[in-house]
Amino acid sequence: MMDIQLASLFASGAFIIIGLFAAIFIDNLIKKIIGIAFIEEGVNLFLICLGFKAGGVVPIFLPGMTADWFAANAAYPLPQALVLTSIVIGASTLAVMLALAMVLYRKHGTLSVSEMMGDEK
Amino acid sequence: MNYLIPLMVVIPILAALIVNIFGGKDKTVKAISIVVAIAIPVIAIIAAVGIQYFGGHDPALLASSLPSNLMGTLVASYNTGIVYVFENIERIFIFLMGIVAFLAVLTYFAEKKEVSGPYLYLIFMGIASVTALMLSNDIFNMYVFFEITALTQVGIIIASSTEDNYEIALKYLILGAIGGPILLLGIGFILGTIGSVNINDIVFAISNNYVNPYAPSLVIGFALILFGWLYSAGLPPFHTIKSAVYSKARPNGSAILQGFSVLCMLAFGIAMYKIFAYVPYFNTAIIVFAILAMALSIAMSAMEVDFRRMIAFLAVGELGFIALGFGIGTQYSIAAALFQAANEIVITALLFIGFGTVYYLTKTSDTRKLGGLIAVDSKMAIMVLLGGFALAGVPPFNGFQSKLMLVQAALDAGYTELAILAIIVSVVIFFTFVKAFHTVYLQPKPKDLKFAHEKIPKATVFSVAVLLIICLALGIFPNIVTDVFIPFAGGLI
């Protein structure tokens, strides 16, 4: 069976590549935004994979654990903390992008980015 | 007074929240904004040099209470919290950004009768973000504030209510939404290799061979972070969108946006230099993008008929000079790059606000429709012309000093062709600017040119005058800043 960390890394790579393809080559604004969300989630998955420890425990120091045992067995918590922040940033960016998509759809009556930008002088 | 270090970030954030809450009450918003805008550069001047460890402890204290199986390992020296470092170089840049912000806010109040709470919110949030970027010694923390800066930049364009601002904002946001995660991916590669996101920890681990410095993961991390850096700075291939961003904001907003870009470029440039300067072709890669930025942006500015786009391209081209200094990679060239960055913040702010008065008066930025504006306000015209001289590197202004340093550094390092290129680009900047100035101010006034306003507000004239005085002061007494930049650059290499 494929190692779960390796499989997750491949999945994150796939997310990023699919997202990049959508963001660069697809003309529909909503699909572009979905592609961007794919890139963000791919990067988040990549970061989460970094903190994975096979057979490790959740990095919460509980009563009864010794510091030495905890240091040897807990998953690395830093990437998890980073991903939480990254998710918040991603959500904010997504919200602004969707708001702009709504405004531009009302203005141009289309979701085609090339048509929107074609109107722009 | 080390508590002032975090306050440099906290005060603008609080101000942003308060001005947004009091959005409808103009007098209150104006009073708060002016007080905070004055406080930012003042705090930068009075704060003592120091280090702020968030989390309440420094690594040495932590190391003494570590589990036994981590004692004596690399991890024992790691910083567990975010660290802010405040030295004289940060003092200079935060002070200059604070001055530009104050003058931009003053200009905004003079030119708009009803102030917008959200617009001021974005300005203060942006200032807080770039200040944190300069102070932070943690690449993930830098990424967070880089993203906030990008969002505030988009917000400032949206709030500017200019033609096609939404389209440009969306374009910039989409590119940012690609550039940001790629930068984060690069940070992830470093984290995965070294286990820390603190710059000092990373440098310590690499320089003491705890990890293979040429590990593919580190080189890939460098490439990804370089991409994010290009986006944050507006270097090619992002020069076109960056210049569009500047041209779609209000003139005072453009001045601030350019300051944000310079500080983002510096913060990440310095971080990259600390971590990756040993990577093969590091300097070559930066020089290539510097040359592209200078050549493409200056060529595009020469072809522009919209003076706001022209200044925007010139501003982006000037960023190429900063990158060139980093790329050459000697102590003197890096000091020249830092000096150029300080000058860039002031000069482009002067030009955006000064040339912005033309738009304020006529509501057009098409040079084909303009002319004879020297008759409206000759003092402003002369100050704008002198600002253009500073940009092109004409003595005795600051632009001359930094470009002279850059050319000398290129010659000293054996890059004669880069020195010649820098001189040629400066000459083209000079002619492009003089041509635009002649068209807008000196040629006869077109018959159909109408004025939206009769006079330029005194606050705007004051702002441009202050910026010009700073340009002149740094040109005559460059050692005010070079005495800080040269030793810092020595430490960097």
Side-chain angles (χ1 to χ4, degrees):
Chain A
M1 199 178 86
M2 191 189 244
D3 178 84
I4 192 164
Q5 189 179 23
L6 196 60
S8 302
L9 284 171
F10 275 120
S12 76
F15 265 94
I16 293 167
I17 290 165
I18 293 167
L20 275 175
F21 177 83
I24 295 168
F25 295 110
I26 295 181
D27 192 42
N28 183 292
L29 182 54
I30 297 295
K31 289 179 184 173
K32 231 181 225 311
I33 293 172
I34 293 171
I36 288 164
F38 262 60
I39 302 174
E40 284 166 359
E41 299 318 327
V43 174
N44 288 343
L45 182 57
F46 175 79
L47 287 175
I48 285 289
C49 292
L50 300 177
F52 176 78
K53 189 168 200 164
V57 296
V58 177
I60 301 172
F61 193 75
L62 296 171
M65 290 180 179
T66 63
D68 288 1
W69 184 87
F70 182 75
N73 291 286
Y76 189 35
L78 184 61
Q80 300 177 19
L82 302 191
V83 164
L84 274 178
T85 317
S86 173
I87 288 170
V88 174
I89 292 169
S92 318
T93 313
L94 200 63
V96 179
M97 270 193 291
L98 288 171
L100 275 173
M102 281 172 64
V103 172
L104 289 171
Y105 179 73
R106 281 185 197 149
K107 184 177 171 185
H108 296 277
T110 177
L111 282 171
S112 161
V113 174
S114 57
E115 283 181 39
M116 282 177 194
M117 300 303 165
D119 290 349
E120 177 225 331
K121 288 165 192 170
Chain B
M1 289 201 284
N2 270 359
Y3 59 86
L4 287 177
I5 297 173
L7 278 184
M8 282 182 232
V9 180
V10 172
I11 287 176
I13 290 178
L14 279 177
L17 296 173
I18 293 169
V19 294
N20 204 22
I21 292 168
F22 290 103
K25 297 175 181 173
D26 276 12
K27 281 186 181 174
T28 316
V29 168
K30 282 183 180 177
I32 294 168
S33 303
I34 293 290
V35 168
V36 173
I38 292 172
I40 294 166
V42 170
I43 293 174
I45 288 295
I46 62 172
V49 166
I51 298 175
Q52 171 73 29
Y53 292 103
F54 289 90
H57 46 69
D58 61 28
L61 285 175
L62 180 74
S64 61
S65 57
L66 272 176
S68 58
N69 52 358
L70 295 181
M71 293 287 267
T73 66
L74 177 65
V75 179
S77 66
Y78 276 0
N79 291 277
T80 53
I82 294 164
V83 179
Y84 279 2
V85 179
F86 181 69
E87 292 176 5
N88 283 324
I89 180 173
E90 283 84 12
R91 187 194 306 283
I92 290 170
F93 284 105
I94 295 169
F95 172 75
L96 288 176
M97 189 68 235
I99 292 286
V100 168
F102 167 66
L103 297 173
V105 168
L106 204 64
T107 310
Y108 172 65
F109 289 157
E111 293 178 2
K112 286 285 278 187
K113 284 180 184 170
E114 290 176 3
V115 297
S116 156
Y119 185 69
L120 290 165
Y121 165 86
L122 291 161
I123 287 178
F124 284 123
M125 274 306 289
I127 292 166
S129 308
V130 290
T131 304
L133 255 176
M134 284 304 291
L135 293 173
S136 185
N137 200 33
D138 178 304
I139 43 173
F140 183 77
N141 193 243
M142 288 172 72
Y143 158 77
V144 172
F145 283 106
F146 158 76
E147 286 282 19
I148 297 172
T149 310
L151 278 175
T152 55
Q153 285 177 316
V154 168
I156 287 173
I157 308 162
I158 294 171
S160 294
S161 308
T162 51
E163 193 189 353
D164 297 329
N165 60 334
Y166 290 112
E167 286 82 349
I168 296 298
L170 180 73
K171 245 189 205 177
Y172 189 64
L173 194 59
I174 288 175
L175 287 173
I178 298 172
I182 287 180
L183 177 69
L184 182 60
L185 193 62
I187 293 168
F189 272 99
I190 296 176
L191 176 67
T193 314
I194 293 171
S196 175
V197 284
N198 181 282
I199 294 171
N200 279 4
D201 294 347
I202 296 165
V203 173
F204 180 80
I206 293 173
S207 57
N208 289 288
N209 287 321
Y210 281 103
V211 293
N212 174 13
Y214 300 101
S217 55
L218 281 181
V219 179
I220 293 169
F222 161 65
L224 296 170
I225 290 175
L226 180 70
F227 183 86
W229 182 66
L230 295 176
Y231 167 75
S232 71
L235 294 175
F238 301 106
H239 61 295
T240 317
I241 184 66
K242 202 69 164 184
S243 60
V245 163
Y246 297 154
S247 64
K248 290 299 169 193
R250 290 193 188 112
N252 53 68
S254 305
I256 288 183
L257 290 178
Q258 169 68 358
F260 289 174
S261 297
V262 173
L263 293 193
C264 283
M265 180 184 192
L266 267 189
F268 278 106
I270 292 170
M272 280 202 312
Y273 216 95
K274 281 180 180 170
I275 301 171
F276 295 116
Y278 69 89
V279 171
Y281 304 113
F282 172 86
N283 295 81
T284 313
I286 293 179
I287 287 176
V288 167
F289 286 109
I291 292 171
L292 285 174
M294 290 196 291
L296 294 176
S297 302
I298 302 305
M300 289 168 109
S301 73
M303 292 185 287
E304 270 297 335
V305 289
D306 182 317
F307 70 78
R308 292 200 298 176
R309 283 291 296 232
M310 185 205 79
I311 297 170
F313 274 121
L314 289 178
V316 173
E318 287 286 305
L319 294 171
F321 282 92
I322 305 173
L324 189 66
F326 276 110
I328 292 169
T330 62
Q331 180 180 2
Y332 201 61
S333 76
I334 293 171
L338 296 170
F339 191 13
Q340 175 69 19
N343 295 340
E344 168 90 352
I345 293 172
V346 182
I347 299 170
T348 49
L350 188 162
L351 290 178
F352 277 123
I353 297 174
F355 243 128
T357 57
V358 175
Y359 186 78
Y360 175 78
L361 291 170
T362 62
K363 292 290 167 215
T364 181
S365 52
D366 189 337
T367 50
R368 293 167 299 188
K369 296 175 184 170
L370 293 164
L373 287 174
I374 197 158
V376 179
D377 194 328
S378 55
K379 282 178 199 164
M380 178 57 81
I382 291 167
M383 287 196 289
V384 169
L385 181 65
L386 294 177
F389 286 170
L391 185 79
V394 176
F397 295 102
N398 52 352
F400 166 73
Q401 295 288 2
S402 57
K403 285 182 178 167
L404 181 67
M405 272 180 81
L406 209 52
V407 170
Q408 280 177 343
L411 291 172
D412 290 346
Y415 291 111
T416 313
E417 61 283 6
L418 292 180
I420 294 169
L421 178 74
I423 294 168
I424 291 172
V425 170
S426 295
V427 172
V428 176
I429 290 173
F430 180 80
F431 281 110
T432 307
F433 186 83
V434 169
K435 185 183 147 205
F437 182 84
H438 176 265
T439 315
V440 173
Y441 285 99
L442 300 180
Q443 76 175 8
K445 183 184 151 218
K447 285 178 186 171
D448 55 347
L449 181 64
K450 289 177 183 169
F451 287 88
H453 295 94
E454 296 286 315
K455 279 185 176 178
I456 298 167
K458 283 180 184 169
T460 309
V461 179
F462 169 77
S463 301
V464 175
V466 170
L467 291 166
L468 191 61
I469 289 167
I470 297 174
C471 288
L472 204 55
L474 289 178
I476 297 170
F477 307 108
N479 57 321
I480 298 171
V481 289
T482 51
D483 284 354
V484 174
F485 293 154
I486 292 174
F488 176 83
L492 204 58
I493 58 171

